[in-house]
Amino acid sequence: MNTFFTLLAILLFLPATGISQTKAEKQARKESFKNRDKYLFAARPVQKDFTHTLPFDYHLGQIIVPVVIKGKTYSFMFDTGAATIVSSDLKDELGMNTIFSNNMADGSGQVEVMRFYGIGDLQLGPVVFKDVVGTAIDMKKFEKLFCMKLDGIFGTNIMRTCHWKIDYKAKTITFSDKRIRPEGEVTEIGFTENFSGSPLIEQVIGRYSFHSTMDTGYNGGFKIRDSLFFDTRKSKDIKMVRGRGKSSMTLFDSKIDYEYAAILDTIGLGGHLLKNQFVSVAAGDSYLIGNELFEKYGTVILDWHKKKLYLGAKDIKEDKYFKTLGISPLYIGDALHVGMVWENSVAARNGVEPGDAIISINGIPSKNMQQEQWCAIVDLLRNADADIKVPMVVQGENGEEKQFVLEKTDLFNP
């Protein structure tokens, strides 16, 4: 498990209220469903009888695909946990008009009222999808932090019109208006849809059953809400480690909080039993299953018509370790700060706290750091092997500087 940082870009399209009580709330909820069905779910492919395979760029555990809008190619994240999104810059460039507004929630559970815009035609490979609607988000912080150009998110309101196969080994996506049949031994899992069309998969931990979002916009594996986790017997029976800070960047803002890493001996997934799998436990309202797990299966077929997932293996590799450098830097604005610090790590033993200023990392000073230098650090830390040593200097709130050398350690067995 490599935990430099985790991109969490889930964006859910929510009804205006939860359980309606008042007449106004009932009307607002009814209006949300009406807007969804009339506008968001209006997207559809123009062509008939097509099957196409295209390569994708797999960057920091994210699937990036090229899409074409009005003759120009853009980079979009392929995200089963989100409705379609465009960057604010792209929205302005294309002069998109507001269609409607609705509540939106990101992966931390934060809710904001968002406007939805008419995108029109969007092309993936040779296939054109018409009447596409999406919201707009300022994506500059993602581009800077994760060293990739990101113009938008290819979301579930488009995906649910076709059949999809993600091949993590070949780094290709196949999509068709006809069923894509699984080959060989597979794990078949049923799913339901949330309000925005994202697949929801039943999970069982201990005596609790709940639904997690299949989220290819999340480059982790299992993410579980802390309140449920600590109410199960699992939290008392297993070894785990705690971190403090923020290691994920949501579409809205995130705050400093505690996060836990653990390996569960058993997890029920859609009626199938998985053994010894790594889980991330954090505050918030979201339960997620991301690319780190699906990559273990090699391939994933999504059949929205039958509401089935076909995972390309019967058994997957079990996890044993939590090997990490123990710290996550965040590059926000023009400053480099400590994002997350894990207990038992070198950084924690040296008294490093979330929010401390990073003076230098691997000999590169953070003052006036250029984007190219930051991206070199991203590559270094993300791909760190067991023998790497990374010198770091940080400065706390009191002005005291601390110097130490990061080493990759199994924090379950420090």
Side-chain angles (χ1 to χ4, degrees), residues 205 207-208 224-236 238 240-242 258-262 281-283:
I205 296 178
R207 58 190 174 91
Y208 287 93
I224 300 171
R225 189 170 66 185
D226 56 358
S227 58
L228 180 143
F229 180 79
F230 287 110
D231 197 33
T232 70
R233 66 172 182 82
K234 293 292 183 182
S235 63
K236 303 176 181 64
I238 64 174
M240 60 184 176
V241 65
R242 182 175 73 170
Y258 287 105
E259 186 172 322
Y260 302 83
V281 181

Side-chain angles (χ1 to χ4, degrees), residues 66-93:
V67 305
V68 177
I69 304 175
K70 295 185 177 180
K72 188 174 179 180
T73 301
Y74 301 95
S75 295
F76 274 46
M77 182 188 299
F78 186 86
D79 187 355
T80 59
T84 297
I85 305 167
V86 297
S87 68
S88 298
D89 288 345
L90 182 54
K91 183 261 295 184
D92 294 338
E93 176 186 332

Side-chain angles (χ1 to χ4, degrees), residues 137-399:
I137 294 289
D138 184 357
M139 294 186 173
K140 289 188 176 67
K141 66 178 180 180
F142 297 108
E143 293 183 352
K144 185 173 185 179
L145 185 61
F146 297 104
C147 298
M148 62 178 179
K149 178 64 175 172
L150 193 60
D151 299 301
I153 288 177
F154 189 93
T156 51
N157 55 312
I158 304 175
M159 292 183 202
R160 64 193 304 276
T161 66
C162 295
H163 302 269
W164 304 83
K165 179 180 179 179
I166 306 170
D167 190 327
Y168 288 91
K169 295 179 180 178
K171 294 183 176 56
T172 60
I173 290 178
T174 300
F175 61 108
S176 177
D177 60 346
K178 301 180 290 293
R179 186 186 178 207
I180 300 175
R181 297 186 179 278
E183 299 176 355
E185 289 193 342
V186 298
T187 298
E188 179 181 324
I189 294 177
F191 68 84
T192 57
E193 290 182 77
N194 69 9
F195 191 76
S196 60
S198 294
L200 296 176
I201 304 171
E202 183 183 27
Q203 267 188 261
V204 177
I205 296 178
R207 58 190 174 91
Y208 287 93
S209 174
F210 54 95
H211 285 84
S212 292
T213 302
M214 179 192 179
D215 184 13
T216 57
Y218 174 50
N219 59 7
F222 290 105
K223 177 178 181 289
I224 300 171
R225 189 170 66 185
D226 56 358
S227 58
L228 180 143
F229 180 79
F230 287 110
D231 197 33
T232 70
R233 66 172 182 82
K234 293 292 183 182
S235 63
K236 303 176 181 64
D237 295 345
I238 64 174
K239 184 184 292 187
M240 60 184 176
V241 65
R242 182 175 73 170
R244 181 172 176 270
K246 52 182 178 180
S247 63
S248 61
M249 290 296 293
T250 56
L251 287 170
F252 305 139
D253 201 7
S254 55
K255 62 181 180 179
I256 290 178
D257 212 331
Y258 287 105
E259 186 172 322
Y260 302 83
I263 292 180
L264 294 185
D265 56 355
T266 57
I267 298 177
L269 182 67
H272 299 268
L273 191 66
L274 304 183
K275 294 183 178 180
N276 299 317
Q277 295 298 311
F278 184 93
V279 298
S280 174
V281 181
D285 295 326
S286 299
Y287 298 92
L288 307 176
I289 307 173
N291 286 327
E292 189 171 90
L293 177 76
F294 296 119
E295 191 174 352
K296 291 181 179 182
Y297 287 95
T299 60
V300 177
I301 295 175
L302 294 101
D303 188 330
W304 256 276
H305 178 69
K306 291 182 175 291
K307 300 292 189 294
K308 295 285 187 180
L309 292 179
Y310 300 95
L311 309 179
K314 283 290 188 182
D315 300 299
I316 59 172
K317 181 180 177 181
E318 297 181 15
D319 295 318
K320 297 179 180 179
Y321 313 106
F322 179 39
K323 292 183 177 180
T324 173
L325 294 172
I327 191 171
S328 300
L330 290 179
Y331 185 34
I332 308 296
D334 294 323
L336 200 58
H337 294 280
V338 174
M340 177 72 70
V341 180
W342 288 93
E343 291 177 342
N344 304 328
S345 67
V346 172
R349 293 197 296 269
N350 280 273
V352 176
E353 295 286 341
D356 284 356
I358 297 176
I359 304 303
S360 68
I361 182 168
N362 203 40
I364 303 174
S366 64
K367 187 176 182 180
N368 300 321
M369 178 175 285
Q370 301 298 309
Q371 181 72 25
E372 294 76 13
Q373 293 174 308
W374 165 247
C375 292
I377 291 173
V378 170
D379 289 337
L380 172 71
L381 299 186
R382 179 71 182 181
N383 300 312
D385 58 30
D387 299 323
I388 194 171
K389 297 182 185 298
V390 182
M392 181 176 284
V393 180
V394 304
Q395 184 179 60
E397 289 185 353
N398 61 1

